[in-house]
Amino acid sequence: MADLWLQFVLTIDATLRVATPLILCAMAGLFSERSGIIDISLEGKMLMSAFAAASMAALTGSPLLGLAGGILVSVALSLIHGFACVTHKGNQVISGLAINILASGLTVTLGIALFAQGGQTPFLNKSERFTDIVLPFAEQAEHVPVLGTIYKEIISGHNLLVWVALFSVIVTGYVVFRTTFGLRLRAVGEKPEAVDSAGGSVSGLRFQAVIIAGVLCGIAGTYLSTAHGAGFIREMAAGKGYIALAALIFGKWRPVPALLACLMFGFMEALAARLQGVEIPVIGNISTDLILVLPYFLTVILLAGFIGKASPPRSIGVPYIKER
Amino acid sequence: MNASSLPRWIDIGLLPVLNLIAALTVAGVIIAIIGENPFVAMGVMIKGAFVYDGALGYTLFYTTNFIFTGLAVAVAFHAMLFNIGGEGQAMIGGLGVGLVVLFLDSVLPPLLVVILAVPAAAAFGAVWGVIPGWLQARRGSHIVITTIMFNFIASSIMVWLLAGMLMAPGQMSPETRSFADGINLPLVYEVLQMAGFSVSRSPLNLSFVIALLACFGVWYLIWRTKLGYIIRATGHSERATIYAGHDPAKIIMLVMAISGALAGMMSLNEILGVQQRVILNFTSGYGFTGIAVALMGRNHPIGIVLASLLFGALYQGGAELDFEFQTITREMVLMIQGLIILFSGALAYLFMPAVVRIYSSLRKPTGSG
């Protein structure tokens, strides 16, 4: 029983680690999509910034400069997305797809040119990464039953970016739902002509939204390569951007429900990792592939209106054309 | 002045070429930044795609994949549906081929099995397309998101089956057993050699002919039949379809079935053409490239054949880059592909204002402007 409890606590701990990039990307998607810009390029931005952050950290030895590099590159991709979708009123899905494919090719190409390690970046040692922060009294807390284990295993021992991710949910919720900027942002995603006639700039707001999305994806990418991992590996985003998008939809474009969806999807992944090759009494060997597909499957079921209803911002995907 | 007042040759000829040049220029700059000569790289790619022994056969082999997936995207586009699910539909199409062959190759003559496997590819792909179609038409879920999710679901199903039930006994890699002898589409070089021509070996097979027939079929369907007219009308306005007495939901499902079938048939080229067993990830991104192909080809079969040839050459020529350069690999092709999608898709009208300005200033002296 005690062993099972520890297993459970460790799975929850892993959930938080796995969910961190999902949370950041889901909040990024929330800003972008609430402003009316579809963002399927979460994946590409995260991949590209993972590469940039690891390269920067490897070259300078500083994880903070890595973070700066990751954010910078991700914002640059956001600006391309904005240039195509807002300035040139291009198709938002196509632009996002282009960025994803571009990132897949560019990371490996640049990686080989810079480090000649088959597209990877060099291994980052402890001083070049965001390391786990052990909270005070974590070791002593071990002896306290239940609460102590929770404190030591789940709450303590995460790196800075995990906390940033959780904090980003609060900030997103506040900015989008409690500030004038957030009100305008949501209005631009629902009824851009209203913002326009009130004297607001539709393009300006949408650009701000995609830039914020870029910053958050940049942190997510940095987390992958210089906090959770120790260097960049090709295709290391591995569909996480799309899972985050699914979580955003699952959370109906709201911060806290999206956070919960990210945690749920993260839990599935952590559970799948833990159950790999484990024989469970009665049921036998559970196929981990089938657990990993659940996020996509559940999102389809939700979108089909079988569990609640997810209605996107009304003007999502529609370029705004000013009437003359 | 806008797009409609430009002559057609500018809209469907000049602008795509300008977009392509822009994409290649950016790619060239990146190649230069990493310290290689872009013109040398281009030369290597062209030689690798067309000049070397058997190169053309390989190029046309890849072209076949892109024609199928490009047509799939284009047909859906005509009804204003964005099918990003070509990748998954092709995988499931390949599963269809595999199931038919694995169940029947010990009981039926090879020719009959092949004849049954072809519609199986289309039917399985169609099913994987029609479900998102149904979800869009009847349940209101957005086709872009559902087709993305269906790609992942398809991929998981393939892993699950190929590493499980369908895995060849005594094998470690996730793939089925090989098909029985004689169960494959005829290879073009073998046929030509039998006819007395000397052609070097390549994987080009009958699928190429099927792909060209599909091009004709799509052209005929979209521009020469009543159904095609209704499909295009649905793309412009669902209300028009209702007024004409048709159910837009049915049209959407039908279009997604056709689109899925075309994507599913891509598996003929890979599975029934060369692999003769079902392997994991045989679609290797061809479904996504189909989007670029359809965009460049302006959703017209002739344009799609030309764009497929371009991408076929990029893929085959890109493989050559691996041999010739230390620092350039085939991922370079992926990068170029991303740039092409960006410029000819999302930024399709980047050069329009400039072209309009130049065109109208050239027209002015002759009067009408």
Side-chain angles (χ1 to χ4, degrees), chain A residues 167-190:
Chain A
F167 190 60
S168 78
V169 180
I170 301 169
V171 173
T172 304
Y174 178 77
V175 169
V176 174
F177 293 94
R178 294 278 180 276
T179 64
T180 323
F181 168 72
L183 180 68
R184 292 202 181 124
L185 187 83
R186 282 179 291 135
V188 134
E190 299 284 338

Side-chain angles (χ1 to χ4, degrees), chain A residues 84 88 90 93-95 97-98 101-102 104-106 108 112-113 234 242 249 287 289 293 296 300 303-304 306, chain B residues 34 82 84 135 139 141 145 148-149 152-153 156 159-160 291 295 329 331-332 334-335 338-339 341-342 346-347 350:
Chain A
H88 283 275
V93 174
I94 293 174
S95 170
L97 198 69
I101 294 177
L102 188 63
S104 282
L106 206 53
V108 177
I112 290 172
R234 56 164 77 190
Y242 289 109
I249 296 165
S287 167
D289 307 309
V293 83
Y296 306 112
V300 169
L303 277 171
F306 293 116
Chain B
I34 64 172
F82 198 169
I84 322 198
L135 288 167
R139 313 286 316 184
S141 35
I145 303 295
I148 290 175
M149 300 297 140
F152 285 104
I153 298 174
S156 294
V159 174
W160 179 56
I291 297 163
L295 285 169
T329 57
E331 275 76 17
M332 176 67 77
L334 213 55
M335 184 197 86
L339 289 168
I341 297 180
L342 186 67
L347 290 168
L350 180 64

Side-chain angles (χ1 to χ4, degrees), chain A residues 47-48 50-52 54-55 107-108 119-122 124 225 230-237:
Chain A
L47 184 67
M48 197 72 197
F51 171 74
S55 306
T107 47
V108 177
Q120 301 192 8
T121 60
L124 298 174
S225 64
F232 176 83
I233 306 165
R234 56 164 77 190
E235 295 302 328
M236 81 183 310

Side-chain angles (χ1 to χ4, degrees), chain A:
Chain A
M1 193 63 211
D3 183 50
L4 203 64
W5 164 245
L6 188 66
Q7 289 290 327
F8 175 74
V9 169
L10 287 178
T11 309
I12 298 298
D13 177 60
T15 298
L16 214 57
R17 288 167 199 274
V18 175
T20 295
L22 303 182
I23 296 167
L24 287 161
C25 281
M27 295 307 127
L30 194 143
F31 273 99
S32 182
E33 303 218 330
R34 277 284 181 167
S35 83
I37 303 289
I38 299 175
D39 200 356
I40 66 166
S41 64
L42 299 171
E43 176 86 2
K45 283 187 284 215
M46 180 161 54
L47 184 67
M48 197 72 197
S49 61
F51 171 74
S55 306
M56 199 68 180
L59 294 174
T60 63
S62 154
L64 280 174
L65 283 176
L67 178 64
I71 291 176
L72 213 66
V73 164
S74 175
V75 169
L77 289 180
S78 281
L79 289 175
I80 293 178
H81 194 49
F83 180 69
C85 303
V86 181
T87 313
H88 283 275
K89 308 185 184 347
N91 185 310
Q92 302 171 359
V93 174
I94 293 174
S95 170
L97 198 69
I99 289 171
N100 288 346
I101 294 177
L102 188 63
S104 282
L106 206 53
T107 47
V108 177
T109 304
L110 293 179
I112 290 172
L114 273 174
F115 304 107
Q117 293 185 6
Q120 301 192 8
T121 60
F123 179 82
L124 298 174
N125 54 43
K126 267 204 143 128
S127 67
E128 297 166 331
R129 306 203 298 265
F130 289 93
T131 45
D132 294 346
I133 303 164
V134 178
L135 296 179
F137 309 115
E139 291 307 316
Q140 291 89 317
E142 199 179 5
H143 307 293
V144 182
V146 187
L147 284 179
T149 329
I150 291 177
Y151 182 73
K152 174 168 182 273
E153 299 296 345
I154 301 181
I155 299 174
S156 168
H158 290 293
N159 62 65
L160 178 69
L161 298 183
V162 175
W163 297 110
V164 171
L166 293 172
F167 190 60
S168 78
V169 180
I170 301 169
V171 173
T172 304
Y174 178 77
V175 169
V176 174
F177 293 94
R178 294 278 180 276
T179 64
T180 323
F181 168 72
L183 180 68
R184 292 202 181 124
L185 187 83
R186 282 179 291 135
V188 134
E190 299 284 338
K191 240 180 167 354
E193 58 275 15
V195 174
D196 195 15
S197 51
S201 161
V202 176
S203 303
L205 279 160
R206 287 187 169 171
F207 256 105
Q208 286 173 44
V210 293
I211 289 170
I212 296 171
V215 172
L216 290 166
C217 284
I219 302 172
T222 307
Y223 173 82
L224 285 185
S225 64
T226 53
H228 191 60
F232 176 83
I233 306 165
R234 56 164 77 190
E235 295 302 328
M236 81 183 310
K240 288 187 176 68
Y242 289 109
I243 298 222
L245 191 66
L248 173 66
I249 296 165
F250 211 86
K252 301 173 184 177
W253 291 269
R254 303 186 71 87
V256 173
L259 165 72
L260 294 177
C262 288
L263 290 173
M264 180 171 82
F265 293 170
F267 177 72
M268 287 170 187
E269 200 183 324
L271 191 68
R274 205 151 272 273
L275 290 180
Q276 188 94 50
V278 175
E279 201 79 31
I280 295 172
V282 190
I283 312 167
N285 234 327
I286 291 188
S287 167
T288 48
D289 307 309
L290 294 186
I291 302 178
L292 289 176
V293 83
L294 272 175
Y296 306 112
F297 186 71
L298 287 173
T299 305
V300 169
I301 300 286
L302 174 87
L303 277 171
F306 293 116
I307 24 174
K309 191 163 160 43
S311 37
R314 193 154 3 131
S315 294
I316 195 165
V318 190
Y320 180 64
I321 297 161
K322 214 180 166 93
E323 276 181 58
R324 276 167 235 204

Side-chain angles (χ1 to χ4, degrees), chain B:
Chain B
M1 200 165 189
N2 56 30
S4 54
S5 56
L6 283 174
R8 267 177 74 79
W9 66 267
I10 290 188
D11 189 32
I12 64 172
L14 183 64
L15 283 174
V17 170
L18 285 178
N19 290 328
L20 182 63
I21 291 173
L24 292 180
T25 307
V26 175
V29 169
I30 295 172
I31 295 175
I33 288 173
I34 64 172
E36 299 286 352
N37 183 331
F39 297 101
V40 175
M42 183 98 155
V44 167
M45 284 181 87
I46 291 173
K47 270 190 227 152
F50 297 107
V51 180
Y52 293 142
D53 213 26
L56 185 63
Y58 274 92
T59 297
L60 291 177
F61 169 75
Y62 290 120
T63 303
T64 308
N65 287 338
F66 299 134
I67 292 178
F68 280 123
T69 54
L71 283 177
V73 176
V75 166
F77 257 142
H78 279 291
M80 286 294 165
L81 294 168
F82 198 169
N83 177 13
I84 322 198
E87 196 77 7
Q89 288 144 16
M91 281 180 206
I92 299 296
L95 180 65
V97 171
L99 289 178
V100 164
V101 176
L102 294 174
F103 276 115
L104 297 177
D105 67 352
S106 55
V107 276
L108 293 179
L111 182 66
L112 197 59
V113 177
V114 170
I115 290 174
L116 288 174
V118 174
F124 273 66
V127 168
W128 212 247
V130 89
I131 303 172
W134 177 78
L135 288 167
Q136 158 102 25
R138 297 271 188 235
R139 313 286 316 184
S141 35
H142 201 289
I143 201 123
V144 168
I145 303 295
T146 39
T147 47
I148 290 175
M149 300 297 140
F150 266 65
N151 284 338
F152 285 104
I153 298 174
S155 162
S156 294
I157 291 179
M158 295 301 277
V159 174
W160 179 56
L161 287 176
L162 293 181
M165 267 174 261
L166 294 180
M167 189 155 88
Q171 256 270 48
M172 279 320 284
S173 56
E175 54 188 47
T176 67
R177 69 170 168 82
S178 290
F179 299 165
D181 277 345
I183 299 199
N184 65 308
L185 293 171
L187 292 165
V188 168
Y189 85 94
E190 285 181 350
V191 176
L192 287 177
Q193 275 178 353
M194 262 189 275
F197 297 95
S198 112
V199 186
S200 37
R201 221 184 141 84
S202 79
L204 184 65
N205 60 75
L206 187 69
S207 310
F208 182 62
V209 180
I210 301 176
L212 293 180
L213 287 175
C215 281
F216 177 77
V218 166
W219 172 78
Y220 192 81
L221 169 76
I222 299 288
W223 282 281
R224 285 292 176 273
T225 64
K226 196 175 153 211
L227 177 63
Y229 183 77
I230 298 166
I231 289 173
R232 284 180 291 145
T234 308
H236 285 289
S237 145
E238 289 200 358
R239 277 171 57 196
T241 315
I242 298 169
Y243 276 125
H246 295 276
D247 179 1
K250 277 192 188 139
I251 301 292
I252 287 172
M253 286 189 269
L254 184 68
V255 166
M256 280 306 289
I258 297 171
S259 179
L262 286 164
M265 278 159 77
M266 188 225 98
S267 66
L268 295 176
N269 195 37
E270 290 285 336
I271 301 296
L272 217 47
V274 287
Q275 299 290 349
Q276 282 152 298
R277 66 210 148 99
V278 185
I279 57 167
L280 211 55
N281 298 331
F282 69 88
T283 51
S284 46
Y286 301 128
F288 290 117
T289 311
I291 297 163
V293 168
L295 285 169
M296 282 209 77
R298 294 290 166 106
N299 301 318
H300 190 284
I302 293 175
I304 286 170
V305 171
L306 292 175
S308 298
L309 193 61
L310 171 77
F311 277 101
L314 268 176
Y315 262 66
Q316 172 53 22
E320 206 62 38
L321 289 176
D322 269 340
F323 299 116
E324 296 279 330
F325 292 94
Q326 288 273 300
T327 49
I328 304 183
T329 57
R330 39 181 331 133
E331 275 76 17
M332 176 67 77
V333 175
L334 213 55
M335 184 197 86
I336 297 175
Q337 191 187 323
L339 289 168
I340 291 179
I341 297 180
L342 186 67
F343 280 98
S344 51
L347 290 168
Y349 294 101
L350 180 64
F351 298 108
M352 242 254 311
V355 168
V356 167
R357 222 174 303 129
I358 294 168
Y359 178 74
S360 48
S361 71
L362 288 177
R363 282 285 301 273
K364 242 176 211 138
T366 59
S368 61

